[in-house]
Amino acid sequence: HRGDMEAAMKKLAAARQTQRAAIEKVPADEATITSLTQDLTQAEVDVAIQSARLNTAVWGVLTDSQRAELTKLRAERQSQGERHDRRN
């Protein structure tokens, strides 16, 4: 999955950069910004799909105890993120 993920991440980075440049351009071209934002959204979807595929592949090879540990670690990470968000 590495190649697919790297390609999706590069596409996402390029879409962010292109959108940012359009936003900063004067005068603003709202039609271009809209189109580029749609491209950015699609790039985010592509990364999410690649992440889900990777997760499915990894999940499929884990033992029950490894799955339980991963579930626990994800819950802890989620909790830490929520605490961080409340501080900001």
Side-chain angles (χ1 to χ4, degrees):
H1 297 278
R2 182 175 300 178
D4 291 337
M5 182 60 87
E6 286 176 355
M9 292 299 290
K10 284 180 183 178
K11 182 178 172 185
L12 178 59
R16 283 183 178 145
Q17 183 177 10
T18 304
Q19 183 211 40
R20 173 59 42 207
I23 289 169
E24 293 173 353
K25 186 176 179 183
V26 176
D29 180 346
E30 293 180 16
T32 297
I33 293 168
T34 298
S35 176
L36 293 172
T37 300
Q38 290 168 341
D39 293 346
L40 174 61
T41 300
Q42 184 58 54
E44 289 174 336
V45 168
D46 293 344
V47 168
I49 289 169
Q50 289 304 321
S51 295
R53 287 177 179 164
L54 177 59
N55 182 63
T56 298
V58 168
W59 195 262
V61 298
L62 297 178
T63 65
D64 288 341
S65 63
Q66 289 171 324
R67 288 177 183 168
E69 181 66 19
L70 181 56
T71 300
K72 177 184 164 192
L73 291 171
R74 287 178 174 170
E76 289 172 0
R77 184 177 65 198
Q78 178 72 25
S79 177
Q80 289 172 351
E82 289 171 359
R83 283 194 305 266
H84 176 74
D85 290 344
R86 285 189 291 244
R87 289 188 297 231
N88 292 330

